[in-house]
Amino acid sequence: MSLLVVGSVALDCIETPVARKEDVLGGSAVCFSYAAGFFVPVQLVGVVGGDWPEEHTKMLESHGIDMSGLEIQKGGKTFRWSGKYLENMNDRVTLETQLNVLADFQPKLPEAFRRAQFVFLANGSTKTQLQVLEQSHGADLVVADTMNFWIESERDSLLGLLKKIDGLLLNDSEAKMLSGELNVLTAARKILELGPKFVIVKKGEHGAIFVSQYDIYVIPAFPTDNVVDPTGAGDSFAGGMMGYIASQGKADGETIKKAIVYGTIVASFQVEGFGIDRLRQLTRDDIEQRLEKFRKMVEF
Ligand code: AMP
């Protein structure tokens, strides 16, 4: 049931049409872990600098996240990302990406992390994702996420990674960029030919589509009228999904289908606050209640 994640641990600067916040706790590994922590304990691998507030580590530990794989480089600065959302609160522009300590991060997995049954390679350098895979042995399921930044800068390593993973998560524009195809389904099928057994394309407020050689599932997003900050929606979707899979200890088609529903519900909470603020107010029960509402919405 062990779930390992490697990814960015960040201090974000987020601008929406109504507010601007600096030093928001973020990063793909943080949003993923917090979401997955509602289902199972999580092992986090990442790196931060001397500017990292120690209280973040304690808070994450109190949510069942094992932080012993977080390297602190005292002389460096934590990864920083700043982004601005447009009026529609769906499209965003990256204003700045400061890789800082993430630039030449060489992950070293603590011994206890090496045999994790479920592994998630959250958005981050493909080279780092590959280094984690080299140290991890016998995982039942390996799923990776990526984004345009890495598709452009590390395309060759990404093509190598695709041959070693079971599933790939990415958003629609990234799927098109990686495959060169304009239709989402054609893009997903082309990515399947590059290695993974399944691809999940996230379409923001329009939900997600799962594509494998045998199945296609589509799922709408849970509609919320309280979108405060969409940052980390994709990571928390992945966290809810992988957390549920790990809690079941298996990754058959039916389990993955239900896991995608959990991912959708957790992501709908994530967007209702800055960073992980909204998730921090939740209990597992809140997730179950929203899932029941969602079930009534999509049944036909
Ligand atoms: P999402 O909204 O799901 O795409 O996730 C946004 C999170 O990813 C933010 O908290 C950022 O700190 C982090 N992030 C942004 N750009 C990168 C990047 N190039 N590599 C890794 N993490 C990133």
Side-chain angles (χ1 to χ4, degrees):
M1 291 227 315
S2 42
L3 174 60
L4 169 81
V5 60
V6 60
S8 58
V9 177
L11 297 172
D12 291 336
C13 174
I14 298 161
E15 249 181 270
T16 72
V18 292
R20 181 174 189 277
K21 295 236 176 196
E22 286 189 22
D23 288 345
V24 179
L25 170 62
S28 56
V30 168
C31 299
F32 175 92
S33 303
Y34 206 92
F38 289 106
F39 302 88
V40 283
V42 183
Q43 301 169 329
L44 181 147
V45 175
V47 63
V48 291
D51 54 350
W52 170 251
E54 175 60 24
E55 70 253 28
H56 289 334
T57 301
K58 295 204 176 76
M59 183 277 292
L60 294 166
E61 280 171 347
S62 71
H63 189 59
I65 302 164
D66 183 338
M67 299 295 286
S68 57
L70 182 72
E71 184 182 319
I72 302 175
Q73 291 184 9
K74 288 254 180 281
K77 277 179 72 184
T78 300
F79 170 75
R80 282 171 189 267
W81 173 81
S82 49
K84 182 178 176 173
Y85 289 89
L86 309 186
E87 285 293 333
N88 65 13
M89 287 299 270
N90 203 33
D91 299 318
R92 76 174 177 212
V93 281
T94 290
L95 299 176
E96 197 179 14
T97 301
Q98 289 180 27
L99 290 177
N100 299 331
V101 289
L102 207 61
D104 33 38
F105 176 41
Q106 306 277 334
K108 281 168 238 56
L109 267 56
E111 201 48 47
F113 287 20
R114 293 176 184 238
R115 300 215 167 266
Q117 214 178 333
F118 299 94
V119 174
F120 188 69
L121 308 171
N123 183 21
S125 160
T126 315
K127 291 182 182 134
T128 309
Q129 294 176 320
L130 279 164
Q131 284 169 345
V132 165
L133 268 194
E134 278 160 20
Q135 297 170 54
S136 136
H137 307 293
D140 289 347
L141 182 77
V142 179
V143 179
D145 191 355
T146 194
M147 74 184 291
N148 47 4
F149 188 89
W150 305 109
I151 298 174
E152 278 166 6
S153 62
E154 296 186 351
R155 194 179 182 93
D156 288 346
S157 336
L158 182 60
L159 293 176
L161 179 81
L162 292 181
K163 297 193 171 41
K164 301 184 175 174
I165 59 173
D166 300 297
L168 182 71
L169 265 162
L170 71 186
N171 72 29
D172 47 359
S173 61
E174 292 154 359
K176 290 172 189 171
M177 180 189 261
L178 179 59
S179 64
E181 294 290 341
L182 290 177
N183 176 284
V184 171
L185 193 56
T186 319
R189 290 202 170 118
K190 204 152 178 192
I191 296 169
L192 287 181
E193 288 170 14
L194 301 174
K197 297 186 192 76
F198 65 85
V199 176
I200 299 175
V201 183
K202 300 168 285 178
K203 299 188 292 166
E205 62 178 341
H206 303 298
I209 176 164
F210 166 101
V211 184
S212 74
Q213 197 188 333
Y214 312 103
D215 293 304
I216 296 177
Y217 313 140
V218 282
I219 184 158
F222 178 89
T224 168
D225 54 6
N226 183 28
V227 181
V228 174
D229 166 26
T231 310
D235 308 312
S236 60
F237 172 93
M241 178 186 105
M242 290 296 286
Y244 179 76
I245 291 173
S247 75
Q248 301 302 299
K250 57 182 184 187
D252 56 276
E254 277 312 299
T255 307
I256 294 182
K257 201 168 179 179
K258 194 153 179 207
I260 292 172
V261 181
Y262 274 101
T264 299
I265 298 300
V266 179
S268 75
F269 281 117
Q270 168 77 10
V271 303
E272 292 179 346
F274 272 97
I276 57 168
D277 286 358
R278 181 75 178 101
L279 294 194
R280 289 185 61 191
Q281 302 164 342
L282 293 186
T283 61
R284 174 69 189 263
D285 214 39
D286 296 319
I287 295 172
E288 296 299 335
Q289 283 179 22
R290 188 170 278 191
L291 189 127
E292 279 315 306
K293 274 195 200 163
F294 190 50
R295 191 191 303 281
K296 294 199 179 90
M297 288 176 186
V298 296
E299 244 169 22
F300 63 90

